[in-house]
Amino acid sequence: MFWGVDNKDFNQWEETFYDFFFSHFLKYHAFKDEGECALYLNQLRPYAKELWKSYQNDINSIFPDYSNTLTQEAYFLRYCPLYSDSLVKILENLNTSMEIPITENSNICIISAGPASELKGILDFSKTIKISSFRNMKFSLVDRVDWKSTRMIIKQALNDYLGKDNVPEIKEVTADILSEPMILDTNYDLIFFQNCINEYVSQKQNSEVINCISKIIEKLTPQGLAIFSERAGYKGMNSFFNELREAENTNIIELIQEEIPKYKSIKHIPDILKTEFFKNESGLIASYSNSLEYAVFKKKFDKSYSFIPDQKKLDVEETPEILKNESFFDEGINLSNLGANKNFGSRLDGGFDDFEDGPSNDDWDNADWEDYMSGPDDLFDNND
């Protein structure tokens, strides 16, 4: 079999998204050798390019099809490294001005979760605030399609990352929040909407999307936060958040709306992905940097409750319900035999891929990618 450690650049994967997750991708597929792996990665290229094309459209014209397993795996390899890290950046920013309701017993919901790479970002941030036990955390992953192999890969990797006795409970919910009544059987400390609003408003009118979202936000605890984030550059996001804030039928309060300027998110991409999955042509160039827009809302409560962001203090505190120790993770996964780094978990640090004639492979990770930005692909600030 072709393992992570069989890659000549494996030691450079350390402390990156690929350290565990791409290693588990290889383990999941059990490629007999590097050549078989390369052929499979080649097959994913057209699906990656179709995703990229869809994301270049205006905010009202984004219609990616995630139902195909090959599309899901292309998404996993191309976008999950960015999206896992972006939550760390947002939570770190918020933590300087307000209390983040993450504890060892937190209830967290991720809407349009996809493969659920956000799990790693949340857990990485949790470690920075001195949380080390995760077995009483509870996550609900909501998406309208079944993400099949990619969810399994991420679960297996996190099982090895945290240890089988320290994994959170995970509930998977298959539902389209825009067309089905959402049945959420608990209240949440955090609800994340990451990189999905641009797709929602391509399918429904803003008012319909706001109505659906407001019903989900009703499931926040008194200290709970709803965090929305999108890659910067989509026209119409500010106006959508303004509508959400001012809508009369919603029971929410906006706390903050900010941007995170472009930053480098990925320091190294495995060589086999550079040569067999990515390519130096428009639509297939790897993303190394990222920039974000995010907004944070909370649910309105009675006057006895107030939220003071700049004092990082909550006037009402609830003791979270202790959740049973139940896990959906597979047991018996140990990457130590594959050579993976057990210190994995440091946050990544970004990218856009709208470049032409990128650098040579030897210079890939250290290139000044701004030199290669050109053409119509940077319509939305080179947003892929």
Side-chain angles (χ1 to χ4, degrees):
M1 287 178 58
F2 180 60
W3 302 103
V5 292
D6 294 327
N7 288 264
K8 295 179 180 179
D9 66 329
F10 181 77
N11 63 332
Q12 297 180 63
W13 299 8
E14 184 176 343
E15 296 185 359
T16 73
F17 176 91
Y18 300 102
D19 189 358
F20 271 30
F21 293 113
F22 187 52
S23 292
H24 269 291
F25 176 90
L26 299 177
K27 183 180 189 300
Y28 177 86
H29 284 288
F31 301 114
K32 66 179 180 181
D33 53 33
E34 183 174 353
E36 186 175 79
C37 177
L39 286 175
Y40 187 80
L41 293 174
N42 288 168
Q43 293 176 18
L44 296 180
R45 275 178 172 168
Y47 299 91
K49 192 162 188 174
E50 283 303 309
L51 281 170
W52 175 85
K53 285 181 179 178
S54 176
Y55 298 153
Q56 303 310 303
N57 293 332
D58 194 0
I59 189 171
N60 296 314
S61 306
I62 301 173
F63 300 101
D65 179 9
Y66 297 115
S67 61
N68 186 293
T69 299
L70 296 178
T71 298
Q72 294 178 3
E73 295 198 356
Y75 179 96
F76 170 78
L77 293 174
R78 180 167 192 161
Y79 295 106
C80 283
L82 299 172
Y83 297 166
S84 172
D85 175 61
S86 61
L87 273 191
V88 178
K89 289 287 186 183
I90 291 169
L91 291 171
E92 286 179 338
N93 272 22
L94 293 176
N95 196 44
T96 63
S97 61
M98 63 178 68
E99 194 78 18
I100 306 297
I102 295 181
T103 70
E104 294 181 350
N105 302 299
S106 288
N107 236 350
I108 298 171
C109 183
I110 303 174
I111 303 295
S112 292
S117 60
E118 291 88 349
L119 288 170
K120 177 187 174 293
I122 295 168
L123 296 172
D124 279 352
F125 172 77
S126 299
K127 288 186 173 184
T128 70
I129 57 174
K130 310 304 181 184
I131 294 176
S132 58
S133 176
F134 303 102
R135 61 181 178 270
N136 288 328
M137 276 190 179
K138 182 177 180 181
F139 288 89
S140 294
L141 309 179
V142 180
D143 203 288
R144 63 183 176 85
V145 299
D146 179 1
W147 281 76
K148 306 180 184 80
S149 60
T150 54
R151 284 271 178 93
M152 183 61 68
I153 291 166
I154 282 184
K155 288 178 182 180
Q156 290 175 347
L158 289 177
N159 186 52
D160 192 59
Y161 170 34
L162 298 174
K164 65 180 181 179
D165 296 326
N166 195 30
V167 295
E169 177 186 349
I170 292 184
K171 179 180 180 180
E172 299 187 70
V173 180
T174 302
D176 184 348
I177 72 164
L178 300 182
S179 60
E180 304 172 31
M182 283 297 299
I183 302 175
L184 298 173
D185 56 4
T186 188
N187 292 328
Y188 294 98
D189 302 300
L190 286 169
I191 300 177
F192 291 100
F193 297 80
Q194 182 169 228
N195 301 296
C196 58
I197 299 301
N198 52 18
E199 297 177 29
Y200 293 167
V201 298
S202 296
Q203 302 171 48
K204 300 281 187 179
Q205 296 293 322
N206 282 11
S207 58
E208 295 178 86
V209 175
I210 288 170
N211 183 54
C212 295
I213 286 174
S214 63
K215 291 177 181 177
I216 296 174
I217 292 178
E218 285 291 328
K219 300 301 292 185
L220 283 173
T221 60
Q223 75 272 23
L225 302 176
I227 300 177
F228 298 78
S229 68
E230 296 285 339
R231 296 188 73 182
Y234 283 114
K235 299 175 182 178
M237 289 310 304
N238 285 336
S239 62
F240 174 82
F241 287 130
N242 288 339
E243 288 185 48
L244 178 61
R245 180 178 64 245
E246 297 170 3
E248 294 181 358
N249 63 330
T250 61
N251 189 31
I252 61 176
I253 303 170
E254 184 183 46
L255 300 177
I256 193 170
Q257 185 174 344
E258 289 189 355
E259 295 185 9
I260 296 179
K262 184 181 288 188
Y263 66 99
K264 187 173 182 180
S265 180
I266 300 176
K267 66 180 183 180
H268 181 77
I269 292 175
D271 289 345
I272 193 169
L273 288 178
K274 296 175 189 174
T275 58
E276 307 299 340
F277 177 64
F278 296 110
K279 195 175 181 181
N280 287 341
E281 67 179 52
S282 182
L284 283 175
I285 293 179
S287 302
Y288 274 71
S289 62
N290 201 3
S291 58
L292 308 166
E293 298 176 10
Y294 67 92
V296 182
F297 293 81
K298 69 176 296 293
K299 180 181 175 181
K300 290 179 184 176
F301 285 88
D302 59 44
K303 294 181 179 179
S304 64
Y305 177 83
S306 65
F307 191 93
I308 310 174
D310 60 349
Q311 293 184 13
K312 293 187 66 176
K313 180 179 179 181
L314 297 171
D315 296 331
V316 173
E317 295 183 359
E318 285 189 352
T319 302
E321 177 185 359
I322 304 299
L323 303 172
K324 61 183 177 181
N325 184 13
E326 180 181 348
S327 172
F328 284 72
F329 291 100
D330 287 355
E331 296 185 2
I333 305 296
N334 189 337
L335 269 187
S336 59
N337 295 329
L338 309 185
N341 170 31
K342 291 299 291 183
N343 293 322
F344 172 77
S346 300
R347 77 174 193 275
L348 312 178
D349 261 324
F352 303 122
D353 66 351
D354 309 340
F355 310 106
E356 295 181 354
D357 301 324
S360 65
N361 195 57
D362 292 341
D363 296 329
W364 193 297
D365 295 327
N366 297 317
D368 182 358
W369 285 88
E370 299 291 340
D371 293 343
Y372 302 97
M373 297 172 63
S374 63
D377 297 331
D378 55 11
L379 178 61
F380 297 106
D381 192 23
N382 293 291
N383 192 348
D384 64 347

